[in-house]
Amino acid sequence: MGFHFLNSSALFISQQPFNASAWEHTVYEGCRDMPAVLIWYLCLQFINMFLGIPANIMVLWLIHKNKGDSSTSDIFILQLAILDVLFCLIPPLELANIVFLTTSSTWYVLRFFYGMKDSSPLFLSCICLDRYVAVVHPVTFTELKDRHHRAGLAVLVWLVTLAYAAAKCVGHIVNFEKVFTAMILATFAFMVFCNIAILLVLRKSGPGRDEMHPVKKRAFKMVLIILAIIVFNYFPPVALFPFQDYFSPNVFRCYIHYVAFGLMDFSSSIQPMLYLSKEKVGCPGCYQANATPLQ
């Protein structure tokens, strides 16, 4: 199924935003009869920039500061924070491109960064996998804890991310949108699987115990947060796009896709804020008191 609209945060590179062969109109002019959601989207992107950049930098600083007493998943959280910092830099160019520019050249840059954002669930999946092994297969986790497989997996995910972003940047790849849909569905299913598996293990913590093991409890909370992020931020595009035929082209182009991808993009702020709130950064001494490593 083709998508005849401009995907702001996940531009499917096999399509062009409008049928105007010479890019005679801006994206905003194309939605001038229904600009509300587009304006909301641009405002959300700038909130994402002003909130997401400092929040992700704080995450990077916190992980570096406490690298001697960190979680095994921090390598993936660090990579995700770097990716989100890069993505949060694009709103000024995106604003200019949507509202003022009629050239197609700047979309190559934007599509590359959109491709990077599309791939961010892969790092979330790595975090979830690490927590799954730690809770469900603790013996295997202990054997692998001090090895370098996490660094290798992070490098592999970056290679996949950059290859996907480059392919998206080039454009005109037939049915390329199916890669994004499959990736979102696969990561969502994987998160659900990990969450259920960890929940089942936690229920077997032992009879007569009033509290769960703190390491398992923290692991479950982390996976639950990741699942919530996937459902709220990443699943709307997959849930809405199959119903494209039920909307008029203008409504789908100017309303539906900006709602879906506005929520997806805002994960660049939600993810670090949830991490920082979990670590209680704002309370002096609270991090050391609450930062028991998930090992």
Side-chain angles (χ1 to χ4, degrees):
M1 176 171 57
F3 297 92
H4 304 287
F5 56 88
L6 174 63
N7 283 332
S8 290
S9 65
L11 179 62
F12 295 144
I13 61 180
S14 59
Q15 302 294 333
Q16 295 294 348
F18 297 102
N19 293 327
S21 59
W23 293 76
E24 298 156 342
H25 305 288
T26 64
V27 177
Y28 185 81
E29 289 173 342
C31 294
R32 63 182 178 273
D33 295 330
M34 47 184 71
V37 175
L38 179 56
I39 294 173
W40 169 83
Y41 170 82
L42 291 172
C43 291
L44 197 64
Q45 287 294 80
F46 275 90
I47 294 173
N48 203 34
M49 181 179 70
F50 290 116
L51 182 62
I53 290 178
N56 281 288
I57 290 176
M58 180 68 74
V59 170
L60 295 174
W61 173 81
L62 191 63
I63 292 176
H64 175 75
K65 178 177 179 290
N66 298 284
K67 59 184 178 181
D69 185 29
S70 61
S71 164
T72 55
S73 298
D74 279 354
I75 183 173
F76 303 121
I77 297 173
L78 184 145
Q79 307 306 318
L80 185 59
I82 293 174
L83 188 153
D84 283 335
V85 167
L86 294 174
F87 179 76
C88 287
L89 294 173
I90 69 169
L93 178 61
E94 190 171 27
L95 173 65
N97 213 51
I98 290 176
V99 178
F100 303 109
L101 302 181
T102 59
T103 177
S104 63
S105 59
T106 51
W107 283 111
Y108 289 103
V109 177
L110 289 174
R111 284 201 299 257
F112 183 83
F113 283 96
Y114 295 154
M116 292 180 60
K117 183 60 181 176
D118 287 355
S119 305
S120 61
L122 297 177
F123 283 116
L124 290 174
S125 297
C126 291
I127 298 170
C128 208
L129 175 62
D130 191 61
R131 299 302 88 221
Y132 168 80
V133 176
V135 174
V136 181
H137 304 287
V139 175
T140 302
F141 179 81
T142 302
E143 294 174 351
L144 298 175
K145 186 175 66 173
D146 297 326
R147 298 185 182 180
H148 300 291
H149 65 282
R150 290 180 184 84
L153 182 58
V155 171
L156 177 61
V157 172
W158 269 115
L159 291 176
V160 172
T161 296
L162 294 176
Y164 175 91
K168 191 170 194 135
C169 176
V170 171
H172 305 293
I173 298 180
V174 178
N175 294 325
F176 189 77
E177 70 275 5
K178 294 181 180 178
V179 177
F180 171 74
T181 303
M183 180 168 56
I184 292 294
L185 285 174
T187 53
F188 177 78
F190 184 75
M191 299 297 170
V192 173
F193 167 78
C194 289
N195 191 48
I196 293 176
I198 292 175
L199 177 61
L200 292 176
V201 170
L202 291 176
R203 286 183 174 178
K204 298 178 182 178
S205 296
R209 296 185 182 182
D210 295 331
E211 296 184 359
M212 298 178 182
H213 190 283
V215 174
K216 291 184 177 181
K217 186 175 181 180
R218 186 182 176 192
F220 174 71
K221 287 181 178 180
M222 178 179 289
V223 174
L224 194 61
I225 288 172
I226 294 172
L227 181 61
I229 291 172
I230 287 290
V231 172
F232 181 75
N233 294 115
Y234 293 96
F235 193 66
V238 177
L240 290 171
F241 285 169
F243 300 98
Q244 178 186 358
D245 294 337
Y246 292 91
F247 303 96
S248 69
N250 286 339
V251 169
F252 196 85
R253 183 183 67 242
C254 298
Y255 279 171
I256 302 301
H257 112 267
Y258 281 114
V259 170
F261 289 110
L263 293 175
M264 177 177 167
D265 291 350
F266 201 58
S267 64
S268 295
S269 293
I270 292 178
Q271 287 160 183
M273 294 301 293
L274 288 175
Y275 178 85
L276 295 175
S277 65
K278 179 173 64 71
E279 300 297 353
K280 295 181 173 62
V281 177
C283 174
C286 285
Y287 178 80
Q288 295 298 330
N290 293 279
T292 303
L294 292 174
Q295 298 177 357

